[in-house]
Amino acid sequence: MAYRVTRLLIVLLFLSIRDVTPGDSVKTNPGFETRITQSGLKFIKDIGVGLLTQDIKGEAIPDISGTAHVSIGKVDYTVSNMHITGFSVPSTSLKTVTGVGLQFTASGGSVSLNGAHWKYKYKKGFIKVSDHGSFDAKANGLNLKLAIKIGKDNLGHPTIAPAGCTGGVSSIDVKFHGGASWLYNLFSGSIESSMKHSLNKKICSMITQEINTRGAKALSDLKLKSQVGPYTEIDYSLVSNPMFGSLDMETAHKGEFYPIGQYDEEAPYPVPAIDTTGASSKMVYMWITDYVINTAGYVFHTMGKLTYDISNDMISSTSPLQLNTTQIGFLIPKLKKLYPNMLMELVVKSTSPPTVNFAEAGVTGTLWADVDAYVVEPDATRTYVFTIAVIAHVEGSVGFSYPNITGEVTSMSVEMELKQSDIKTFSLMLIERVANSFIESTVIPDLNELGEQGFPIPEMDGLTYINPVVSLGKDYIRLETNLEYTPNL
């Protein structure tokens, strides 16, 4: 029971969590954080118990052997091949234990069992009797209190271990079938008492074994990296032990982008300390810092992936500015004179990693790039003409249209400097003015069309976000939501 509930908890905590980077993070602040509140824990517990009620049917129970003292003497018995046929527990809770982990309690439960085989031996003097058959049993008054310690290993995987267990059943009713069952049912009470004693000794050891084997292995195998696109992956490993307060639990994750399979170099940015206080009304909260976004920009820049070739056929025919020497020549007369009536191509490549900053007022970003201009000769070869250094300043906002986080660019402007030219020097004042006008009339609307489409928030099969809200704060974007579970049929 504990393993299944805890596994569900871990899955919800790491909604897309993926193999981890060797070694602890040298950055103490997390790139992103999660919080599961008391209502979220109750949600997890309710789902876990519901899944357990379904999945536990057919589960095997270890064989039980013992000696029952009956009116005619001692009877040695063995019940084997036991399986659970039904389970119910009317009262359960899942709470945090400050500084430790979680505590799961259950009371008033019942478990129905079916035994494919029972046998007994009775011996007194020269009298020897033995028999076998099947049986049905129901254990009532199941009570359990289980403390679970959740931490992390030195690689950033979550760990799980039992931290205390008490539990048992108050009674067992047994009905024997086969053999001389009618006779054995007459003194089944003695055997039931012996079976209850044996079963109560096994309950906590069974659960502890389950946690230490299947539970621990499931978490050690949990992948904590997620590939993002063809070139990068994000590391979700834990940077500190999960924190358990009186009403919620929090996890802190690295949240750094890397080139796929390359973890030697870290992004040279500080991880901001963010304010996560006062968030408790929803089930789940996630804070994503701008550090996460900026490490992505750093990786794409250092890998040389922020390079774009722009040709005239990529520009709409309705655009007021076409990429040829005739139109660009109005801005740079020398170009039109040296290369009349020729198409042009631009190569845009980043010169520094782009940066993004989140704030309550909105999102700001800066991009640095060189724009290399070429003319396309009649034989389709390219001739270099000049390079302009560009700094682009972007401002925007974020929104939410389920299930996507959306964005809107509210302003964008560029500064230009002539870096190199093979057609002598020329003024950029008019070019910069035209470029900013073009950005306002064409580029921003195109970007906002993409922004309206947005990108989806991570989801799990069967889980739906209820009333999710996306908001901005100093250095972070926050997602808060309730959850609803619909089992897959």
Side-chain angles (χ1 to χ4, degrees):
M1 178 186 297
Y3 161 65
R4 293 180 185 274
V5 173
T6 304
R7 180 180 63 179
L8 177 68
L9 170 66
I10 296 298
V11 170
L12 285 172
L13 279 176
F14 309 106
L15 290 174
S16 316
I17 299 188
R18 315 277 181 235
D19 237 341
V20 345
T21 303
D24 260 340
S25 171
V26 297
K27 299 182 172 79
T28 56
N29 293 327
F32 84 91
E33 300 180 51
T34 68
R35 174 179 297 158
I36 296 183
T37 64
Q38 192 171 34
S39 61
L41 290 173
K42 181 180 183 302
F43 171 80
I44 292 167
K45 181 266 299 180
D46 290 343
I47 294 177
V49 171
L51 293 175
L52 176 63
T53 301
Q54 300 173 20
D55 295 347
I56 201 171
K57 292 179 181 179
E59 288 286 322
I61 298 294
D63 296 349
I64 295 177
S65 298
T67 299
H69 294 270
V70 300
S71 57
I72 60 174
K74 293 191 302 182
V75 175
D76 298 323
Y77 68 89
T78 299
V79 289
S80 58
N81 295 327
M82 289 185 291
H83 293 83
I84 295 174
T85 58
F87 172 81
S88 68
V89 57
S91 177
T92 58
S93 69
L94 181 66
K95 298 180 179 179
T96 57
V97 180
T98 303
V100 177
L102 298 171
Q103 179 176 280
F104 178 79
T105 60
S107 61
S110 63
V111 181
S112 298
L113 306 171
N114 172 264
H117 186 71
W118 68 267
K119 63 181 180 179
Y120 84 95
K121 292 188 298 182
Y122 168 75
K123 178 180 178 182
K124 190 170 185 178
F126 63 89
I127 301 174
K128 297 180 181 180
V129 181
S130 65
D131 207 345
H132 63 87
S134 62
F135 74 92
D136 295 308
K138 186 173 184 180
N140 298 301
L142 171 64
N143 295 294
L144 177 69
K145 180 181 288 187
L146 174 69
I148 305 166
K149 182 177 178 60
I150 299 177
K152 83 171 191 73
D153 63 19
N154 61 356
L155 298 178
H157 286 96
T159 60
I160 184 173
C165 177
T166 59
V169 297
S170 60
S171 65
I172 295 181
D173 297 321
V174 180
K175 192 73 172 177
F176 295 100
H177 309 287
S181 298
W182 63 271
L183 176 61
Y184 316 128
N185 285 327
L186 296 177
F187 49 84
S188 61
S190 299
I191 296 178
E192 289 166 354
S193 177
S194 179
M195 286 179 63
K196 183 184 79 171
H197 177 72
S198 298
L199 183 60
N200 284 345
K201 288 198 303 182
K202 288 180 177 291
I203 286 177
C204 279
S205 62
M206 289 165 54
I207 293 174
T208 298
Q209 178 71 9
E210 184 86 350
I211 292 174
N212 287 334
T213 54
R214 290 175 61 187
K217 185 178 187 307
L219 296 188
S220 66
D221 291 343
L222 192 66
K223 292 185 178 181
L224 300 179
K225 284 194 183 68
S226 177
Q227 184 169 331
V228 182
Y231 308 113
T232 64
E233 56 190 354
I234 185 171
D235 181 355
Y236 288 98
S237 57
L238 293 169
V239 298
S240 62
N241 287 323
M243 299 286 292
F244 296 89
S246 59
L247 296 175
D248 55 35
M249 67 174 294
E250 298 180 356
T251 60
H253 307 262
K254 191 168 188 179
E256 181 166 350
F257 277 81
Y258 292 92
I260 292 176
Q262 301 177 34
Y263 316 118
D264 297 333
E265 183 179 2
E266 302 228 344
Y269 305 129
V271 186
I274 62 174
D275 181 11
T276 63
T277 58
S280 61
S281 61
K282 297 289 182 72
M283 293 180 181
V284 177
Y285 291 82
M286 286 182 279
W287 290 265
I288 304 171
T289 67
D290 44 28
Y291 168 81
V292 177
I293 310 301
N294 288 328
T295 64
Y298 177 79
V299 169
F300 278 102
H301 168 74
T302 55
M303 293 180 69
K305 300 302 180 182
L306 298 181
T307 299
Y308 307 95
D309 292 343
I310 303 175
S311 57
N312 192 65
D313 58 6
M314 299 168 63
I315 298 175
S316 171
S317 59
T318 61
S319 170
L321 187 64
Q322 296 295 310
L323 201 51
N324 56 57
T325 58
T326 301
Q327 291 203 14
I328 303 299
F330 287 111
L331 306 175
I332 311 172
K334 185 72 171 178
L335 177 67
K336 182 179 180 180
K337 182 177 179 181
L338 292 174
Y339 303 99
N341 301 317
M342 291 186 181
L343 293 174
M344 297 185 67
E345 292 183 359
L346 303 177
V347 177
V348 182
K349 53 187 176 183
S350 62
T351 54
S352 292
T355 61
V356 171
N357 180 252
F358 296 140
E360 288 186 23
V363 182
T364 58
T366 306
L367 301 89
W368 294 265
D370 279 350
V371 180
D372 297 331
Y374 298 84
V375 294
V376 181
E377 301 281 2
D379 61 358
T381 59
R382 299 194 311 183
T383 299
Y384 170 80
V385 284
F386 59 80
T387 298
I388 296 176
V390 176
I391 302 176
H393 304 281
V394 183
E395 295 182 0
S397 61
V398 297
F400 190 78
S401 178
Y402 191 82
N404 296 325
I405 295 177
T406 59
E408 179 184 12
V409 176
T410 55
S411 70
M412 182 177 182
S413 62
V414 297
E415 302 173 31
M416 295 182 175
E417 178 183 351
L418 185 61
K419 192 171 184 178
Q420 183 178 332
S421 175
D422 280 6
I423 57 173
K424 297 184 179 180
T425 187
F426 53 88
S427 174
L428 293 177
M429 184 179 300
L430 183 57
I431 295 176
E432 189 174 299
R433 187 180 305 168
V434 171
N436 282 321
S437 176
F438 179 73
I439 287 171
E440 184 174 352
S441 65
T442 304
V443 176
I444 291 179
D446 287 348
L447 290 175
N448 286 339
E449 187 174 333
L450 293 174
E452 287 180 3
Q453 299 175 19
F455 63 92
I457 54 178
E459 293 186 283
M460 284 178 55
D461 288 344
L463 284 178
T464 303
Y465 293 98
I466 303 299
N467 300 322
V469 176
V470 174
S471 58
L472 289 168
K474 180 174 170 49
D475 299 321
Y476 67 81
I477 182 172
R478 184 178 79 180
L479 169 66
E480 56 185 274
T481 186
N482 290 322
L483 299 170
E484 185 176 79
Y485 179 69
T486 305
N488 291 325
L489 299 179

